[in-house]
Amino acid sequence: MKKNKLIFVLLLLCSITVVSSVGTFFYVKLNNNHTAAEDDILVMTSCNPVYIATLNVLDGVDGYRVENLSQPTTGCLHDYTLTTEDMKKLSKADMLIVNGGGMEGYLEDVMEAYPNLQIVDTYEDIEHSNGFIGMDTYLIKEEEKEHDHEEEKESLPLEGKVAAELTDEVSNEVSDEHEHHHDHGANSHIWMDDRLFKCQVTSIANALMEPNRNREETPISKNFLEYSNKLENEIDKQGLDKTLAGSNVAILHEAFAYTAQSLGANVVATMDLDEERQVSAGEVSEFLDAIRDNNVAIVFAEYDYGKSMGDLIEEQTDAKVVYLETLVHGSYDASSYITVQNSNFSKIRDIL
Ligand SMILES: [Zn+2]
Ligand SMILES: [Zn+2]
């Protein structure tokens, strides 16, 4: 018994020694890596779509580090403000790649705080046809009418729990703090149309290749070509660009205006629901009317904010509601753009 105990203690000591030397080894290794990484070009990205694009463009390329700023856990990016941790990272960054078009409401503050930080604005590049002549026609401008939130509060033709909930909230918050969404009069969720996402990838690759004006093959240009081909070949619309072409759809999140556009469908009714968005009963009944009047068969929605309205739509009209991903929340890897788009298309196909 005693002997056993001694052996046990010895073993324990041995393992402690092993553990601590392994620990030291890793510590040294990590430290070395860290020093090496200090010289890397730190590329920060503002949101998942440009993060995914940048990961693909810089895949395996030496000398770069890609980091995404923190992402909102609820709501959309345009309502988001940066954490102090984000600002700290930006102070060390060499480049910030943004979606643009008003999506990053904090952008001006960042530019003011770090005037030397190189900013790549993918929306701007498309808008000003920097290399993609004609693609700016795919940029969707906001409809003015979306902000007539206050009208017709008295008419409450809807009954049931959902309608009551929706109307209860109307009076409290009105649209002034909502205005910043649409500062540029643009719908900036451009990545949802794969053709525009390809332009974003191009814009990012162009910015990163800037020092190489001769356009000889480089690891970045090779990645760019590979990823562009991948997007071309692996995004599978499953025939929806034929099935839905010319048909009428409604959307419960403005991101899906680009999904509809990429399939050739017409958006006949938009209700942009997000966490701060309050909807009046008048607006709800107008929306339901638009669905009925235009024979809308399918409504694109985001689950978190669209579910109760979605239930109401399915209860009161013949339209079916499909819940899609916008890529705004959560963490993604390099392959996510293609898998998320394809799963969105599968969901649409399955509900038709
Ligand atoms: Zn949004
Ligand atoms: Zn709005």
Side-chain angles (χ1 to χ4, degrees):
M1 189 64 193
K2 215 172 186 182
K3 206 179 172 189
N4 273 350
K5 203 173 184 183
L6 188 66
I7 289 171
F8 177 70
V9 171
L10 271 175
L11 275 174
L12 194 67
L13 274 175
C14 281
S15 58
I16 287 170
T17 322
V18 170
V19 164
S20 59
S21 53
V22 166
T24 317
F25 174 71
F26 276 125
Y27 179 71
V28 170
K29 224 171 161 214
L30 273 174
N31 245 11
N32 281 345
N33 274 346
H34 193 69
T35 330
E38 290 289 280
D39 306 329
D40 285 353
I41 295 171
L42 175 56
V43 180
M44 298 293 306
T45 56
S46 70
C47 58
N48 294 322
V50 292
Y51 176 63
I52 294 168
T54 309
L55 283 182
N56 281 285
V57 169
L58 289 178
D59 181 36
V61 181
D62 274 346
Y64 290 91
R65 202 150 48 97
V66 185
E67 276 189 49
N68 203 12
L69 290 169
S70 60
Q71 301 297 295
T73 48
T74 60
C76 210
L77 198 63
H78 22 217
D79 303 316
Y80 193 61
T81 45
L82 290 179
T83 62
T84 44
E85 189 60 31
D86 287 328
M87 286 306 267
K88 242 186 263 168
K89 282 181 180 169
L90 283 174
S91 73
K92 294 181 189 140
D94 299 285
M95 186 188 269
L96 170 65
I97 299 176
V98 300
N99 181 79
M103 185 59 79
E104 294 85 1
Y106 50 73
L107 199 55
E108 272 175 31
D109 295 340
V110 169
M111 284 157 81
E112 218 164 275
Y114 307 111
N116 296 322
L117 180 63
Q118 185 192 349
I119 293 176
V120 178
D121 187 326
T122 59
Y123 184 99
E124 193 102 327
D125 277 349
I126 298 167
E127 191 174 35
H128 299 297
S129 294
N130 273 348
F132 336 91
I133 292 159
M135 291 308 285
D136 58 314
T137 56
Y138 290 117
L139 300 174
I140 299 171
K141 302 291 164 188
E142 279 288 317
E143 288 171 47
E144 291 299 320
K145 102 185 231 278
E146 201 207 327
H147 286 281
D148 306 339
H149 294 165
E150 289 133 296
E151 61 170 357
E152 291 179 58
K153 257 192 260 175
E154 326 49 11
S155 62
L156 306 174
L158 292 166
E159 274 151 4
K161 190 162 166 277
V162 178
E165 272 172 16
L166 289 169
T167 46
D168 274 354
E169 292 163 345
V170 182
S171 43
N172 311 347
E173 287 173 53
V174 193
S175 55
D176 13 335
E177 60 173 307
H178 190 70
E179 294 291 341
H180 67 276
H181 270 214
H182 312 288
D183 274 353
H184 296 69
N187 179 342
S188 49
H189 306 76
I190 50 175
W191 66 87
M192 294 298 285
D193 185 329
D194 56 301
R195 296 165 299 186
L196 291 173
F197 182 69
K198 282 177 202 155
C199 294
Q200 294 187 281
V201 174
T202 310
S203 153
I204 292 166
N206 273 340
L208 288 164
M209 286 193 290
E210 207 108 73
N212 175 15
R213 284 287 184 193
N214 306 332
R215 294 288 185 263
E216 37 192 61
E217 190 182 270
T218 66
I220 292 177
S221 72
K222 201 163 161 277
N223 281 345
F224 165 66
L225 276 180
E226 269 175 30
Y227 190 51
S228 300
N229 287 334
K230 233 178 160 176
L231 290 168
E232 192 65 38
N233 298 325
E234 292 178 22
I235 288 180
D236 184 5
K237 291 184 180 163
Q238 307 179 37
L240 290 170
D241 44 345
K242 296 190 178 67
T243 328
L244 287 179
S247 64
N248 292 337
V249 300
I251 58 173
L252 291 183
H253 189 296
E254 52 183 352
F256 302 129
Y258 284 103
T259 307
Q261 176 175 266
S262 77
L263 299 173
N266 308 318
V267 177
V268 293
T270 301
M271 186 176 271
D272 186 24
L273 299 176
D274 63 35
E275 66 185 331
E276 64 182 35
R277 178 88 165 89
Q278 312 300 337
V279 189
S280 75
E283 209 176 342
V284 169
S285 74
E286 208 178 294
F287 189 74
L288 294 175
D289 283 344
I291 288 177
R292 294 190 202 97
D293 296 347
N294 294 288
N295 296 315
V296 168
I298 192 159
V299 180
F300 300 154
E302 192 206 37
Y303 191 88
D304 291 350
Y305 301 109
K307 183 66 170 77
S308 43
M309 188 61 204
D311 288 346
L312 190 69
I313 290 166
E314 293 196 319
E315 199 183 291
Q316 309 247 338
T317 74
D318 296 329
K320 285 176 186 151
V321 181
V322 60
Y323 296 98
L324 307 175
E325 254 185 84
T326 60
L327 282 154
V328 172
H329 309 128
S331 49
Y332 295 96
D333 63 27
S335 65
S336 300
Y337 181 82
I338 293 172
T339 51
V340 167
Q341 287 288 45
N342 285 348
S343 106
N344 279 348
F345 294 137
S346 299
K347 285 178 194 160
I348 298 171
R349 190 209 48 207
D350 290 348
I351 212 166
L352 282 175

